Amino acid sequence: MVRGPVSTVARAYRRGMPRSPFAPSFWRSPLRGPWLTSVLGVVLLGGITVLFVTGLLSYAAYNPDLSPVNDKTPDKGVLGFYLFSWPTDPHWLYRLNQGVHVTLGITLIPVLLAKLWSVVPKLFTLPPARSLAHALERMSLLLLVGGALFEFVTGVLNVQLDYVFPGSFYPLHFYGAWVFFSAFVAHAVLKMPLARRNLRGLREEKTELVSPNPAPPTVSRRGALWFVGSGSLLLFVTTAGQNFDGVLRRTALLAPHGGAEPGSGPGGFQINKTAAYAGIDPGETSEEAWRLVVVGRAGRTVRLGRAELLQLPLHSSALPIACVEGWSTSDQWWRGVRLRDLAALVGYDDPPDVFVESLQRHGAFRRAALRANQVADPRSLLALSVNGEDLTPDHGHPARIIVPAAPGVLNTKWVARLTFGDL
Amino acid sequence: MRIPLGNPLQLLLLVCSFALAGYAGVRLLAGDWFGVALWFVGAAVVHDVVLLPLYAAADRALVKTAGRHVMYVRVPAALSLLLLLVWFPLISGQVADRYASATGLSPDGFPARWLLVTAVLFGGSAVVFVVRRRRDTKERPPAVH
């Protein structure tokens, strides 16, 4: 803000050191200019579009329109216009989608910061508005900048399990994305012609971004772009590995699911929530105590112990665990009873939807719904073992759901009850 | 005084944009509206009037001390701080308990790995500096010394 009377600013200006950011010569970096801003803008235009699309796909992957238990945003209204039955093919679909969403988001952070730095003098332009359209455009910039930072910050905190944001992640990140994207589209349309001129013409236009009183350069503009790029590259190489096993996972030095696997042996792969964290009482999962309740047509109910489940036809499928937080495992070798065989057991030869309930005490997805196409897929199992051994407690012993291409939390662990029927 | 309207197409676009933002915004603010608004506006304000001036001031101070060798410090320092900014909850250990109990993974390695990456960045920068300096001294004729 301008603190003193105009004369103070004017004096400071004459000394060559204006105190007010409203004075154009306050901003002295020789790097700022339409070319740099346009390059960064074009990178963000592509990157954020991919983030938005993969985000919408991830939202659809939860099948929120199937059942209230899957839907963390019941008042979405028309924002769910595009929802569709999430497919089961290819089986790595969610793994790829979410790996791209989170890894790309983290990689774009330096580009976003550089872009905001490159345009900061515009925040202090005077007069505040030349016309009604200009006033609205500047108001829209608050939604653009606030929205971008809100989305990146909530995403980055959520993948680190730092739930300090004011509410549940799903509605905040989803509705926040729409607020941000509405401003983003307007900004892209308004600025695209300018950015194209700047990049094609390769000549510097005299805009308010160019400092009238530049400091001596300490780095070239190309060097500055390399600088931003190296930040992105560093974040990329220390994050992307959390989507692969073995040596590659160890390259993800700072990502939440990088580094070493939790334990060794057949169950030594990444865990979203451990049995202890989910509040699983070992007494409830013992051979004697645990019974799977399967409910079907006209209330037909079957209760099965683990030994009885093992007597049913067992099948194998190689499927990954892929989390909304942007980490995943490679394909694990699951073995268990097909969901569609369990549906047939309670009178559904043509597999319907299923409502899955877990023993877990807390967790937003302790109850989840799967759609008929997911139940019908021959690779969808109620898994009893993984990689040749019984499931470990942390991977869902005595039994867990595993469905191709579904988000990790829909692969319910410690399953207690399956209710087949149209939802 | 009459306020000029500006380009009508731009106006239309912005009104559409605000309508959609309003539709989503009402839902975004449905819960803890004050907290969400604070985070939304606060993120922009904290970035523009705290974070940016802070790192700009730090950079100016660095340029003053390091002079023409500034890039050898600026690059590793900025990259290291970038990693700290992004992974602060894990590096600082503020989510250590929840992280360990939820994932079964050790939360202890993050600060050490961040310091290690920082050391490698500064070390690499120092190597580049020494190599370039040697090359420059070799190429320069002795008379210049």
Side-chain angles (χ1 to χ4, degrees), chain B residues 88-126:
Chain B
F88 186 76
L90 286 173
I91 293 171
S92 67
Q94 68 184 44
V95 294
D97 290 343
R98 183 187 291 134
Y99 175 82
S101 82
T103 65
L105 298 167
S106 165
D108 302 333
F110 290 102
R113 288 202 288 266
W114 174 66
L115 287 173
L116 209 68
V117 174
T118 304
V120 169
L121 289 168
F122 276 96
S125 184

Side-chain angles (χ1 to χ4, degrees), chain A residues 128-320:
Chain A
R130 294 184 302 267
S131 65
L132 187 61
H134 187 226
L136 285 178
E137 190 192 334
R138 293 201 68 184
M139 277 163 64
S140 159
L141 288 179
L142 176 67
L143 298 185
L144 184 76
V145 176
L149 292 167
F150 184 81
E151 287 302 286
F152 277 80
V153 169
T154 50
V156 163
L157 289 175
N158 188 63
V159 305
Q160 298 178 74
L161 317 182
D162 197 1
Y163 309 128
V164 288
F165 30 76
S168 158
F169 175 71
Y170 292 89
L172 291 186
H173 204 64
F174 177 70
Y175 293 132
W178 277 104
V179 173
F180 166 56
F181 196 69
S182 58
F184 176 79
V185 170
H187 185 69
V189 172
L190 290 176
K191 298 295 182 186
M192 190 46 118
L194 187 69
R196 280 170 68 166
R197 274 203 304 279
N198 287 331
L199 294 178
R200 282 212 184 135
L202 296 171
R203 81 194 139 80
E204 194 71 275
E205 287 181 34
K206 275 285 163 196
T207 69
E208 61 259 66
L209 288 177
V210 180
S211 173
N213 177 28
T218 54
V219 59
S220 69
R221 248 184 292 176
R222 209 161 280 276
L225 275 186
W226 275 107
F227 188 30
V228 176
S230 62
S232 288
L233 184 68
L234 180 67
L235 281 169
F236 179 81
V237 299
T238 53
T239 304
Q242 65 171 343
N243 284 286
F244 305 94
D245 288 349
V247 185
L248 279 174
R249 188 176 301 280
R250 288 183 174 272
T251 62
L253 287 171
L254 294 166
H257 285 262
E261 299 291 352
S264 55
F269 57 95
Q270 296 295 310
I271 300 158
N272 183 37
K273 298 290 184 299
T274 61
Y277 186 87
I280 299 300
D281 174 3
E284 286 183 289
T285 58
S286 68
E287 196 75 48
E288 303 76 47
W290 183 79
R291 292 291 177 274
L292 174 73
V293 180
V294 189
V295 183
R297 201 184 284 280
R300 202 159 132 190
T301 304
V302 177
R303 295 167 68 85
L304 298 160
R306 206 162 182 281
E308 292 159 295
L309 279 168
L310 286 165
Q311 297 303 310
L312 297 174
L314 298 180
H315 297 270
S316 298
S317 33
L319 297 172

